[in-house]
Amino acid sequence: MSDNVKINRGLKGIYFERSGVSDIDGAKGELSYRGYSIHDLATHSTFEEVCYLLIHGELPDADQFAEFDTALKAARVLPAPVLDIIRATKDGHPMDVLRTAVSALAALEPDSQQVGEDAFVANGIRLISQVPIIIAAHDAIRNGREVVAPDMTLSHAGNWLWMLKGEKPTPEATRLADVDFILHAEHGANASSFAARVSIGTETNLHGGIVTALSTLAGPAHGGAAEDVMKMVHEIGTPDKAAAYVKAKRAAKEAVTGFGHRVYRKEDPRARHMREGVRQLGAEMGAPEWYEILQAVVEAMQPYARHGLNVNVDFYSGVIYQLHGIAMDLYVPIFAIGRMPGWIIQCIEQQRGNILIRPLTLYNGPEPRAYIPLNAR
């Protein structure tokens, strides 16, 4: 029998379910949310509006948007014991602290135990607002600063930057953070979204699914690209050294961070929006060299584009965070802020017509053998 079984390692190329959320065309390099091009959303929309679109399936009208935005802002609060837990774990990695805090919320907020679709939406709205607060509060506490109170007049992205840095962000910085969240909001059956669906398949609550997603995103093979790109940029140092760096990496048959994607064979459609953001922010902050290094790497990698090694969205994200003075270990948690609505709708979809996700493994161990008692071995 085993000779006739085809193994798709990593479930590559396997469709396990239908989804009406994001459409990814890797061959053409296209991405849409609910039928809307990522380019239109990144250019014209806001993260709050994209959250509504992903969760509810349609763009909101003015009244729906106002109600949704009000609910998001009202959820900008953490139970006091969560802050105590953050203080107790302040020396941990931000992803570990975030996961622990979300797990604590499941125990501290009684509504988190509800598992109907309406409850998932309500709990999801709270979590979308609470996750950036957790990250900002931890960064303040571990650096000996007071936790900054949320500003209800600011947008989701603006409030995140305010709580993280303690100063009102410029409209340009707020918009760039907003676009970053939009671009990371949803991406099909990626590792963390699939892991969340596996959890929800067991009929656990939304917080359980999000904790699973956070644990999966924390792995460097999934969420660590932006941090690795920034390390590469520091290693290269100046634009004129980029070509030699790429040549050495390729000669050693090592990957160049920020190039290639499990799905896209052409350039990641999200990358162009972050590229322009890096250029503008670098110029505004008097640090154009970061953008110049990145573009020198892109040029050096051009001969390999025909092999599917094109730039991906995380190639540019890290430099934006660097320009803001954000610590590298916060890059993956920032990814989580953007991905929250995607995880939530993936959990909701899994709950509809739920089925336990239980694939098979093909046994290739020892043949049947006799048990020998301990005193005879």
Side-chain angles (χ1 to χ4, degrees):
M1 175 183 174
S2 62
D3 293 339
N4 299 322
V5 175
K6 181 182 179 182
I7 302 294
N8 292 78
R9 297 192 66 238
L11 302 182
K12 185 177 181 180
I14 298 295
Y15 290 90
F16 79 98
E17 189 56 277
R18 292 177 174 83
S19 175
V21 184
S22 62
D23 187 15
I24 306 167
D25 190 325
K28 294 180 180 179
E30 296 177 352
L31 170 64
S32 65
Y33 298 164
R34 301 289 195 180
Y36 293 98
S37 167
I38 192 64
H39 303 306
D40 289 338
L41 294 173
T43 303
H44 303 294
S45 193
T46 64
F47 182 64
E48 289 90 335
E49 187 176 53
V50 168
C51 287
Y52 187 99
L53 170 67
L54 290 173
I55 293 171
H56 293 289
E58 299 290 345
L59 289 171
D61 61 27
D63 290 339
Q64 290 169 331
F65 180 82
E67 182 180 357
F68 186 74
D69 186 54
T70 297
L72 283 172
K73 287 176 177 174
R76 290 177 183 172
V77 62
L78 293 175
V82 172
L83 290 174
D84 293 336
I85 289 169
I86 294 173
R87 292 186 183 96
T89 59
K90 67 182 179 65
D91 295 327
H93 190 282
M95 281 301 288
D96 293 330
V97 175
L98 175 58
R99 184 186 66 243
T100 301
V102 171
S103 185
L105 285 170
L108 293 166
E109 296 180 332
D111 288 347
S112 69
Q113 301 303 313
Q114 303 300 314
V115 294
E117 184 166 331
D118 289 344
F120 270 33
V121 172
N123 288 329
I125 288 172
R126 284 207 315 280
L127 282 170
I128 288 170
S129 293
Q130 290 171 326
V131 161
I133 295 174
I134 292 167
I135 298 166
H138 173 228
D139 193 61
I141 290 169
R142 69 175 178 169
N143 287 294
R145 305 191 309 267
E146 290 294 320
V147 176
V148 177
D151 186 329
M152 299 303 179
T153 69
L154 295 175
S155 69
H156 189 80
N159 184 62
W160 150 247
L161 291 174
W162 157 246
M163 293 194 69
L164 182 69
K165 303 178 73 175
E167 57 188 40
K168 294 296 174 66
T170 65
E172 294 78 14
T174 298
R175 179 56 187 161
L176 190 53
D178 198 54
V179 172
D180 184 36
F181 293 158
I182 290 171
L183 296 174
H184 285 94
E186 159 63 16
H187 213 242
N190 56 84
S192 55
S193 294
F194 179 73
R197 293 185 77 134
V198 172
S199 289
I200 298 303
T202 69
E203 301 182 1
T204 188
N205 56 52
L206 179 67
H207 284 63
I210 299 303
V211 167
T212 302
L214 289 167
S215 298
T216 307
L217 182 66
H222 183 15
E227 184 174 345
D228 290 341
V229 169
M230 203 60 242
K231 291 176 181 176
M232 175 183 71
V233 169
H234 281 293
E235 185 177 345
I236 292 172
T238 57
D240 59 291
K241 296 179 181 178
Y245 175 90
V246 169
K247 184 178 180 181
K249 282 285 188 180
R250 298 303 299 171
K253 300 187 183 302
E254 296 177 359
V256 176
T257 302
F259 287 82
H261 194 277
R262 183 71 176 263
V263 178
Y264 296 115
R265 300 303 296 169
K266 291 189 176 181
E267 181 179 286
D268 185 331
R270 303 167 293 178
R272 72 174 72 167
H273 300 281
M274 301 309 292
R275 177 167 55 232
E276 181 59 18
V278 170
R279 187 192 68 77
Q280 291 181 359
L281 189 62
E284 289 171 8
M285 293 189 168
E289 64 274 11
W290 301 115
Y291 174 78
E292 293 166 0
I293 292 171
L294 290 177
Q295 289 309 101
V297 175
V298 171
E299 184 176 340
M301 284 293 292
Q302 194 59 41
Y304 307 101
R306 65 181 184 274
H307 301 298
L309 294 179
N310 294 286
V311 67
N312 60 47
V313 65
D314 296 311
F315 184 72
Y316 294 101
S317 297
V319 171
I320 290 174
Y321 307 150
Q322 173 84 15
L323 287 166
H324 278 300
I326 297 173
M328 280 193 194
D329 61 2
L330 290 181
Y331 292 2
V332 181
I334 294 172
F335 188 144
I337 296 175
R339 185 53 57 86
M340 284 301 298
W343 286 336
I344 290 161
I345 186 56
Q346 291 282 342
C347 290
I348 290 172
E349 278 201 334
Q350 181 62 37
Q351 192 184 59
R352 296 170 183 163
N354 186 37
I355 184 172
L356 185 70
I357 299 174
R358 207 307 192 177
L360 302 174
T361 55
L362 185 65
Y363 178 72
N364 65 350
E367 293 296 321
R369 46 186 172 171
Y371 174 79
I372 301 173
L374 180 60
N375 60 7
R377 290 179 220 154

